[in-house]
Structures are given as C-alpha cells and as structure tokens.
C-alpha cells in the first residue's frame, strides 16, 4: 500500500512538472528537521531554482545555483534549500533570534516569503542564517510601501548544515502559525538567498533592485495540493512572571514588584484568531534606543508586546506618516493595562476584520480607561482596497462609562497598479471629543512612482486642530510654547514631494550606481495658508562596488515662521518667535554594508540653526567577532550656538556588546549616555530560550545623571513558558 501511495505521489508530481505549474505536493510523511535531507520524500518534491540576481546587481541569473524544494504533510510546510557555493566558508554576524540586521543583512542566509491569501496585502517572512539564527516577521502594506514587523513570533523548526561547498537549509513551518483561506490553495511565494561574502542578494522571481525582496507584488503563484481544510487546533497559552527590584539612591527608597501575566491565542478558523492578555508586561527586555531630538516634536518607538502584534498591520496602518490614528503604545503608557482581547484576521478571502478592546486601571490622578478599536478592510479589486475604522477611548468607573471620551472614525482607499510602478492612498478621518464638534477632520492623499531609475512620491495632508487622537500619534498637531509653558493645538497643511534619479554605469569597475538628482521638499502651512515651515534638501550619493560603500553630499534649507518659543538648550532662554531662514549642509561616508569584520559610517552637519550655528558629527562603528560576539559604538555630538541665548553641546553615546554562547543563550549589554536627557544608563541582559519562544531573562539596570552620579538601579527577573497545543 505504501508503494502505491509513493507511486501516486510520483505520478502526480511528474504531471505537475509536465504542466509547468509550480506545486507544493502533499505527502503524509513527517520528517526530522536535521539538515541532512536524506529522506526519500525530498526526491519527490518539486524543484524551485533558476534564481535571479537582485542586489547590488539585478541583471541576469545568479552565478551560484540555489535549489529549493517544498512539500507538506497536512500539518507542517517543509522547505529545503541548497546553495551551491564556491567555498565552505560562511559569514555569520549573529546567533541571536529576531535580529534582521545581523542574521539576514550581514550574514549568509536563506529566506522565504509567503502570501497565503495571494492578495498582496499582508504576508509572512521566515529566514535562517547559516548559524541557524531564526527570524520571523509579518509583512505589512502601509498604503504605498511594504514593511516588516519583526516583533511577531511563531514556533517553527529549522536546521543548517555545510557539506563541502554546499550550504543546506531546512525548515518546517506549522500551518497553525499562518492565517490562510481554506478555499484558496494558490499562495504567493518568494525565496531569496543572501551571500554576504560576495556580497549578493538573489531572488527566485526577477525584480529590480529598487524594490524590496519581500514586496508581495513579485511573489510567484504556487498551488498547494490537499490544503488542510480545517486548522489544526491552535491554542497557545504563555504565562509569565516578572520580579522587579528598584532602588532609588537619591531619596533612599526601594520597591519590589512581583507581576504575573498571561497571553492566550486561539484559532477560531484557519484565518481568524482570538488573542487575550491578562496583566500584560509593558516593560520590554530590549531597551528603547535613546536619541538626540533637536526638533520641536515628539518621536515614537515600536510596539513589542505580543498581544498587539498578531495582524498588527490592520491596526497600525490606519493613517500616514506623522498622523496615525492608532498607536498601541499609548495603551498602558500611564497606568497598567489590566486585560485585553482581540479578534483579527480574514472572514473571507477579500475581507479582513480587527476588533480590539483593552482596559487600564486607575492610578493616582490617572483615571481608568477603556480602549476599543474596530477595523474592516475590503479588497475591491486587484488594484483597490478600502479600510474603515473606529478608535475609541473612554474613561471608566468600575463597569460604567463616564462622559470623558475621544473617538476617531476614518475611511481609507489604497491603490496598487498592475505594472507594480504606481501605488497610492487616500485617508479621511474625523475626531469626536467631549465638547468639541468642529475643526476635527484629517485628510491625506499621496502617490508613489517607483522604477529602477526614477522614484517620485508626492503627498498632501490637512489636519484640523481638533483632530484629537488620544490613542494615536499626531506630534505636529501639538506646539509647546516654552515662553508661556503651555501646549497649543493648531491646524496645519502639509505638502511633500521627493524626486530621485539614478544611473547604473555598465562599464565602471569602481562605481556601482549614483543618484545624480535628489530633491525633497516638505512645506507646512497654517489653516489660513501662511507658510510656517519649509524643509528642502538637494544632493546626491555615489555607491561603490567594493563593499557597497556610499559617499553623499547634500545642501539644505530650513525656513521657520516660528510662532512659539522653543527651548532646545534647556537653559530657560527659549528661541523667540520670528522668521528664521537657515542654510546647512550634511555629508558622509557609509561603510556599514561591508562584509568585513570592521565596519563604520561617518556623518557631518554644518550650518545655521534658528539664527545661530549648529555643528554635528556622527560616528558609528562595529566589529564582528564571528559568530561569537559583536560590538558596536555610536557617538553623536551636536554643538548649538544661539548667540546671546546660550550654547550647548549634546553628547549621545550608544554602546552595544553581544556575546553568543549558542542560538539559545546570549548576553547583551547596552550603555547609553545622553546629556540632553541627563542620563547615563547601563542595561545588561542574560537571555536563555530554554524552549522555543519560552525565555528566562535576568536584567540589571543602572542609571546615573550626566555627571555620573547614581540615581537608581534595579534587577529584573522574567520567565515565561509557551504552551503550544
């Protein structure tokens, strides 16, 4: 009987070969993921080969052959890849999980892109480097571009091996980790290989280097035989405990906090998921990287809490740059989040929904709040998609709602052209707050054209002063007056263009390509049409063949019709309202893409700043002790001289040291010295992944002021265990 089954599979596969129809066959045969590829089933799987050059050379077929094979057993999707190298050597920059820069960009690596709904809206990204460091991510479409959310996690298997000059990669991805439509057995798929030694990127389908390798518009259709018609039961529970001890040295107090939490995820269908979180841990083991902010507006940081990550593109791409109606880090930022529940995914092949509700607790002067988000996304055609949403914040008292609320409703339209060159979006939003019923609209329209030689993006947005998004991120709406110590909301209009032209010389042995025209202009107007700010940059960049190093030079102008005082120096002498027309230049050399152990980049800025002078220098360098350790140092200096208002030098030092004992055990230390924030911080973390996605963390933090006087220190222990049924 077994021989008849194998013969059937063989005949079926041969038929698919004959039809030249890419197919992922079904074999009811579970294998061991060990990198050996010695199971007979691999001989029956269809071969995907003939990879194209992608970057830095995007012409023709790859010189070194890559062969990928795939099949599934109804529970897992098995993928093998063999890269026929010319050497047995591998370049590996990290053994750490979920580190895209180290494990993919700066290592020899293999990756697969999956678009289960084949709608080019969202997908999955799985990679392993030659040291078997895993990375999985969600692929999001934000209206004009694709991006990754690397904080998303899934449990899957992988193994790598070297046989002579052959580099072998093997993966097993459970279907229960993926959202898919049981009625659609045609998925979009892309493979890529990164040979960091050359250095070169290769992709299975042919696409120009001006796109990104996980652009879902360039996936290849593949048919999955016997696609599972019901999801394997997926019930994931991740309880965790966190113990945190903090000692405040300045007032000689200390605090010990023990926090249990629980995250739950359940597959209602193969494409619709329910997430719940009780007492989620807002603090993250990875600290946010500090920055020097010389603008008048706030900066944001990425979300890392598991509860908010599944189908995050539904919630995080409701607006545009600078105006985002939903920013999940607002929830739990001032008071602890008690619980959250979320339903998200596809209810049909063309329809996605997201429903989220979260509750925070009352804490001192901060009342309890309830947060609710409703999102519906409909694919109207191959070119058009529309999204409608509601974001609501409302104060609560026990189980009752109070009349302090903020609501944002919106409607978006997205467009992607058939030739993959054009994309665009239109956004309309309206805010409702207690006592505010006018001047509460947001409108945005933008379009993008992208080819190998030409890039253009244009956008126009209008934001009314009462478009208040309490659960969003709209920094430019809020103007802090440093003279009167108050914040004023003001309507504004924003007009943005970016135009670039590149040339790729065919006969140069030194220059890979150069951007001979770069023009960027961003203009802001008040509601009556008065120009309040304009930022213009003109310049170009040359990329060299050797290590893809780049040198660049730009000249820029910043015009400000400053209406409110701005105390950038923090000395009580704010920049006064008035018109400032500043010219400056910035230039640099970037060798960060180098495949050598030592890499670096340099940047300098010189010119006018609000009627004074600003000189800035940045140095970023690192050294790879492959594959056991990495060190990186970034230093930024900003010298600002505002004449009679004073002068100041801001120093920012970031040091990162990583030691890799194995794929599962690493030690990372961050040192951050920021004189603008009067903070010198040391964060040292030991991380052990004792079971897939089950961790033990031991973290020591120490905080000093810029004069190296200790302010506080602490020790944190966190442990979680992932039950994946």
């Amino acid at each position: 009987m077994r021989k008849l089954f194998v013969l059937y599979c063989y005949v079926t596969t041969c038929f698919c070969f004959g039809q030249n129809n890419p197919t992922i066959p079904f074999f009811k045969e579970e294998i061991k993921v060990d990198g050996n590829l010695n199971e007979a089933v691999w001989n029956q799987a269809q071969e995907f080969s003939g990879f194209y050059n992608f970057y830095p050379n995007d012409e023709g077929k790859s010189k070194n052959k890559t062969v990928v094979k795939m099949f599934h057993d109804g529970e897992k999707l098995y993928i093998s890849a063999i890269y026929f190298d010319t050497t047995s050597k591998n370049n590996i920059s990290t053994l750490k999980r979920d580190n895209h820069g180290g494990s993919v960009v700066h290592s020899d690596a293999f990756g697969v892109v999956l678009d289960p709904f084949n709608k080019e809206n969202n997908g999955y990204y799985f990679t392993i480097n030659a040291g078997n460091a895993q990375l999985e991510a969600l692929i999001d479409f934000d209206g004009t571009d694709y991006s990754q959310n690397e904080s998303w996690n899934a449990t899957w298997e992988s193994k790598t091996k070297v046989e002579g000059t052959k580099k072998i990669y093997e993966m097993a991805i459970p279907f229960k980790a993926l959202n898919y439509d049981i009625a659609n057995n045609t998925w979009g798929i892309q493979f890529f290989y990164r040979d960091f030694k050359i250095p070169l990127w290769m992709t299975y389908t042919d696409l120009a280097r001006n796109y990104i390798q996980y652009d879902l518009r360039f996936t290849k259709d593949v048919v999955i035989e016997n696609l599972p018609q019901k999801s394997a039961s997926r019930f994931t529970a991740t309880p965790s405990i966190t113990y945190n001890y903090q000692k405040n040295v300045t007032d000689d107090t200390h605090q010990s906090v023990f926090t249990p939490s629980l995250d739950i995820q359940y597959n209602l269908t193969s494409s619709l998921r329910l997430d719940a979180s009780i007492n989620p841990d807002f603090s993250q083991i990875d600290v946010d990287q500090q920055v020097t902010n010389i603008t008048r507006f706030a900066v944001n940081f990425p979300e890392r809490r598991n509860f908010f990550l599944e189908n995050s593109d539904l919630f995080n791409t409701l607006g545009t740059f600078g105006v985002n109606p939903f920013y999940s880090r607002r929830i739990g930022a001032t008071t602890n989040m008690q619980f959250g529940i979320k339903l998200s995914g596809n209810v049909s092949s063309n329809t996605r929904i997201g429903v989220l509700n979260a509750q925070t607790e009352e804490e001192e002067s901060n009342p309890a709040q309830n947060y609710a988000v409703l999102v519906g996304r409909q694919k109207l055609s191959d070119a058009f998609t529309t999204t409608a949403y509601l974001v609501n914040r409302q104060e609560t008292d026990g189980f009752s709602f109070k009349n302090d609320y903020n609501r944002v409703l919106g409607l978006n339209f997205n467009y992607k052209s058939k030739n993959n060159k054009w994309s665009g979006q239109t956004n309309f939003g309206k805010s409702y707050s207690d006592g505010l019923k006018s001047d509460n609209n947001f409108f945005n329209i933008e379009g993008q054209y992208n080819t190998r030689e030409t890039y253009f993006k244009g956008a126009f947005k209008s934001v009314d002063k009462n478009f208040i998004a309490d659960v969003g991120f709209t920094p430019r709406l809020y103007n802090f007056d440093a003279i009167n110590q108050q914040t004023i909301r003001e309507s504004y209009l924003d007009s943005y263009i970016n135009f670039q032209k590149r040339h790729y010389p065919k006969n140069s042995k030194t220059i890979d390509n150069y951007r001979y025209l770069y023009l960027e202009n961003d203009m802001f107007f008040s509601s009556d049409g008065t120009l309040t700010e304009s930022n213009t940059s003109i310049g170009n960049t040359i990329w060299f063949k050797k290590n893809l190093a780049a040198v660049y030079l730009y000249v820029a102008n910043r015009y400000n019709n400053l209406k409110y005082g701005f105390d950038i120096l923090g000395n009580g002498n704010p920049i006064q309202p008035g018109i400032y027309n500043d010219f400056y230049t910035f230039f640099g050399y970037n060798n960060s893409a180098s495949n050598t152990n030592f890499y670096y980049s340099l940047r300098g800025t010189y010119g006018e700043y609000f009627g004074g002078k600003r000189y800035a220098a940045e140095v970023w360098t690192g050294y790879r002790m492959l594959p056991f350790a990495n060190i990186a140092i970034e230093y930024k200096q900003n010298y600002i001289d505002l004449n009679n208002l004073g002068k100041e030098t801001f120093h920012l030092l970031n040091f990162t040291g990583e030691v890799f004992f194995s794929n599962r055990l690493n030690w990372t230390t961050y040192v951050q010295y920021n004189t603008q924030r009067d903070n010198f911080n040391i964060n040292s973390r030991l991380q052990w992944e004792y079971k897939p996605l089950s961790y033990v963390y031991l973290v020591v933090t120490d905080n000093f002021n810029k004069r190296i006087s200790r302010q506080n220190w602490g020790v944190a222990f966190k442990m979680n265990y992932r039950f994946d049924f």
Side-chain angles (χ1 to χ4, degrees):
M1 189 69 182
R2 180 182 176 86
K3 291 182 179 179
L4 289 174
F5 177 76
V6 172
L7 179 61
Y8 164 77
C9 294
Y10 177 75
V11 171
T12 302
T13 304
C14 289
F15 173 77
C16 294
F17 281 3
Q19 296 295 311
N20 195 29
N21 184 20
T23 304
I24 299 176
F26 167 75
F27 300 123
K28 192 58 180 176
E29 184 172 342
E30 185 177 357
I31 65 172
K32 183 178 181 181
V33 179
D34 54 11
N36 288 319
L37 307 185
N38 52 5
E39 294 88 355
V41 67
W42 286 119
N43 297 324
Q44 312 301 322
Q46 183 169 351
E47 178 180 300
F48 299 81
S49 61
F51 279 46
Y52 293 85
N53 292 319
F54 169 61
Y55 191 88
N57 172 25
D58 61 356
E59 296 181 343
K61 293 293 187 76
S62 170
K63 183 178 179 181
N64 293 348
K65 186 178 180 181
T66 304
V67 175
V68 179
K69 292 185 177 182
M70 299 180 69
F71 76 93
H72 76 93
D73 64 357
E75 294 185 3
K76 298 177 183 178
L77 185 63
Y78 293 94
I79 307 169
S80 71
I82 301 177
Y83 176 63
F84 293 85
D85 209 338
T86 58
T87 174
S88 60
K89 180 183 177 182
N90 275 321
N91 267 24
I92 304 170
S93 293
T94 184
L95 296 178
K96 187 178 180 180
R97 186 181 185 134
D98 292 338
N99 181 348
H100 190 266
S103 64
V104 181
V105 178
H106 297 133
S107 291
D108 294 352
F110 167 74
V112 59
V113 175
L114 300 174
D115 182 359
F117 290 92
N118 209 20
K119 299 297 182 181
E120 302 175 0
N121 280 327
N122 63 303
Y124 299 92
Y125 182 80
F126 293 89
T127 70
I128 47 176
N129 72 6
N132 200 32
Q134 294 183 341
L135 179 142
E136 63 278 298
L138 299 176
I139 301 173
D140 304 336
F141 183 68
D142 64 6
T144 55
D145 293 293
Y146 289 92
S147 61
Q148 293 181 22
N149 186 336
E150 298 169 20
S151 297
W152 177 77
N153 289 308
T155 302
W156 52 292
E157 301 174 73
S158 65
K159 195 69 176 178
T160 62
K161 191 177 181 181
V162 177
E163 290 183 356
T165 60
K166 292 195 303 183
K167 312 299 173 57
I168 302 174
Y169 300 77
E170 190 173 15
M171 300 176 174
I173 302 171
F175 278 101
K176 62 185 179 182
L178 308 173
N179 284 340
Y180 64 93
D181 180 5
I182 60 174
N184 173 47
N185 69 340
T186 302
W187 292 17
I189 200 161
Q190 176 72 279
F191 309 107
F192 70 86
Y193 192 85
R194 169 62 163 161
D195 190 336
F196 188 51
K197 302 181 299 299
I198 297 179
L200 182 68
W201 295 82
M202 294 149 276
T203 54
Y204 173 59
T205 66
D206 190 13
L207 68 155
R209 55 188 282 176
N210 53 291
Y211 299 101
I212 201 156
Q213 74 269 16
Y214 49 81
D215 191 317
L216 299 179
R217 291 172 295 181
F218 296 93
T219 57
K220 177 77 171 180
D221 288 356
V222 296
V223 176
I224 302 181
E225 294 181 349
N226 294 351
L227 181 69
Q229 293 300 293
K230 63 178 181 178
S231 172
S233 175
R234 188 194 189 204
F235 178 75
T236 299
T238 308
S240 67
I241 56 171
T242 303
Y243 172 76
N244 199 318
Y245 174 82
Q246 292 289 327
K247 171 71 175 180
N248 192 318
V249 176
T250 56
D251 59 9
D252 195 28
T253 60
H254 63 89
Q255 183 182 34
S256 295
V257 179
F258 178 81
T259 308
S261 62
L262 177 65
D263 288 315
I264 296 172
Q265 188 175 75
Y266 181 69
N267 266 17
L268 295 176
T269 69
S270 64
S271 60
L272 194 62
R273 296 189 174 175
L274 183 68
D275 292 86
S277 184
I278 301 173
N279 204 23
D281 181 18
F282 189 92
S283 64
Q284 295 299 320
I285 300 305
D286 268 332
V287 297
D288 291 323
Q289 184 173 345
Q290 295 188 24
V291 297
T292 299
N293 186 6
I294 61 170
T295 73
R296 297 184 292 121
F297 306 104
V299 296
N300 65 344
F301 296 97
E303 176 65 79
R304 296 192 180 98
R305 289 171 292 177
N306 289 332
F307 170 73
F308 292 102
L309 298 179
E310 189 72 42
N311 286 304
S312 58
D313 67 297
L314 273 170
F315 302 93
N316 295 340
T317 58
L318 301 179
T320 186
F321 179 77
V323 184
N324 193 348
F326 180 71
Y327 176 44
S328 59
R329 280 186 64 145
R330 297 285 191 208
I331 302 176
T334 54
T335 65
N336 290 330
M337 178 174 158
Q338 295 177 326
F339 67 86
I341 188 167
K342 181 178 68 174
L343 178 68
S344 62
N346 284 69
V347 293
S348 72
S349 180
N350 291 317
T351 306
R352 301 178 69 200
I353 63 166
V355 182
L356 183 152
N357 187 272
Q359 178 71 38
T360 60
E361 63 187 28
E362 181 180 2
E363 197 171 299
E364 298 179 352
S365 60
N366 296 308
Q369 303 284 350
N370 182 264
Y371 301 87
V373 186
L374 303 175
V375 182
R377 182 169 296 173
Q378 179 70 33
K379 191 172 180 65
L380 304 175
S381 67
D382 290 341
F384 290 97
T385 303
T386 186
T387 303
Y389 62 87
L390 166 66
V391 181
N392 183 74
R393 176 208 57 80
Q394 190 144 7
E395 184 180 337
T396 59
D397 183 9
F399 291 99
S400 63
F401 291 97
K402 303 187 74 173
N403 202 35
D404 177 17
Y405 64 86
N406 171 249
R407 298 177 186 126
V408 179
L409 289 88
L411 185 66
N412 304 334
F413 288 94
N414 299 102
Y415 169 76
K416 295 194 297 281
S417 68
K418 188 175 181 180
N419 63 8
N420 301 323
K421 295 179 180 179
W422 291 94
S423 60
Q425 66 172 340
T426 301
N427 312 84
F428 177 75
K430 200 173 188 69
S431 170
Y432 298 89
S433 300
D434 185 25
L436 298 175
K437 301 182 183 297
S438 61
D439 297 325
N440 56 349
N441 295 323
F442 155 62
F443 173 77
N444 172 68
I445 184 169
E446 61 186 86
Q448 179 175 288
Y449 177 77
N450 189 5
T451 68
R452 195 171 186 264
E453 292 80 18
T454 305
Y455 174 85
F456 174 80
K457 184 170 186 176
F460 176 82
K461 68 170 72 80
S462 169
V463 185
D464 289 346
K465 67 177 181 179
N466 290 332
F467 181 75
I468 301 172
D470 285 350
V471 203
F473 186 73
T474 56
R476 188 167 282 273
L477 193 62
Y478 298 87
N479 299 269
F480 180 72
D481 183 353
I483 298 175
N484 298 304
Q485 295 294 303
Q486 60 180 340
T487 300
I488 301 99
R489 292 193 316 272
E490 284 203 342
S491 305
Y492 70 90
L493 309 173
D494 179 11
S495 173
Y496 174 83
I497 61 168
N498 187 319
F499 182 64
Q500 303 176 34
K501 290 291 289 185
R502 286 199 188 199
H503 179 66
Y504 303 84
K506 291 185 175 296
N507 300 319
S508 175
K509 295 182 179 180
T510 304
I511 297 176
D512 176 71
N513 76 93
Y514 56 87
R515 186 166 52 203
Y516 60 90
L517 176 61
Y518 179 96
L519 172 62
E520 184 179 36
N521 176 257
D522 202 0
M523 294 191 296
F524 298 90
F525 303 85
S526 62
S527 57
D528 62 4
T530 301
L531 178 64
T532 59
E533 183 176 342
S534 176
N535 299 288
T536 305
S537 300
I538 300 174
N540 57 49
T541 304
I542 300 174
W543 285 268
F544 300 99
K545 289 184 180 293
K546 185 177 181 180
N547 289 330
L548 299 181
V551 61
Y552 54 89
L553 172 64
Y554 289 78
V555 294
N557 170 257
R558 181 189 297 111
Y559 169 88
N560 271 284
N561 184 356
L562 191 65
K563 192 173 180 179
Y564 304 104
F566 173 38
D567 189 9
I568 181 62
L569 300 182
N571 61 1
N573 295 323
I575 300 169
Q576 296 298 303
I579 293 178
Y580 300 89
N581 197 22
D582 301 328
F583 290 87
Y584 61 98
T585 182
F586 56 96
F587 48 89
Y589 178 81
N590 189 343
N591 191 37
S592 61
S594 171
N595 59 2
T596 60
N597 289 341
F598 177 70
Y599 52 95
Y600 61 94
S601 67
L602 310 168
R603 177 182 167 122
T605 302
Y606 173 83
E608 300 168 319
Y609 182 82
F610 287 96
K613 300 291 183 183
R614 173 177 172 243
Y615 315 121
E618 301 177 20
V619 179
W620 180 65
T621 184
Y623 189 79
R624 305 181 184 100
M625 291 167 274
L626 308 174
F628 309 107
N630 267 333
I631 59 172
I633 300 174
E634 181 183 25
Y635 173 69
K636 296 181 179 180
Q637 181 188 80
N638 273 274
Y639 171 77
I640 299 176
D641 184 354
L642 295 177
N643 303 318
N644 61 322
L645 297 179
K647 54 187 175 182
E648 183 65 80
T649 302
F650 296 125
H651 301 275
L652 176 63
L653 173 69
N654 290 302
F655 167 83
T656 303
E658 298 176 300
V659 178
F660 313 111
F661 302 103
S662 70
N663 289 93
R664 304 296 187 185
L665 181 64
N666 60 76
W667 176 31
T668 303
T669 298
Y670 301 98
V671 178
Q672 302 189 90
Y673 178 64
N674 189 342
T675 60
Q676 188 184 40
R677 293 182 58 181
D678 191 19
N679 181 249
F680 175 52
N681 166 260
I682 300 173
N683 180 289
S684 192
R685 178 195 72 215
L686 188 67
Q687 173 181 313
W688 176 34
E689 188 181 9
Y690 62 94
K691 179 182 176 290
L693 297 183
S694 297
Y695 294 94
V696 171
Y697 303 97
L698 179 63
V699 184
V700 178
T701 60
D702 215 344
N703 290 291
F704 305 78
N705 62 22
K706 63 183 179 182
R707 293 172 295 279
I708 320 301
S709 175
R710 176 176 275 170
Q711 305 296 293
N712 57 74
W713 62 273
V715 178
F717 173 83
K718 181 176 180 178
M719 180 178 182
N720 70 3
Y721 188 89
R722 181 180 172 106
F723 295 93
D724 200 347
F725 303 102

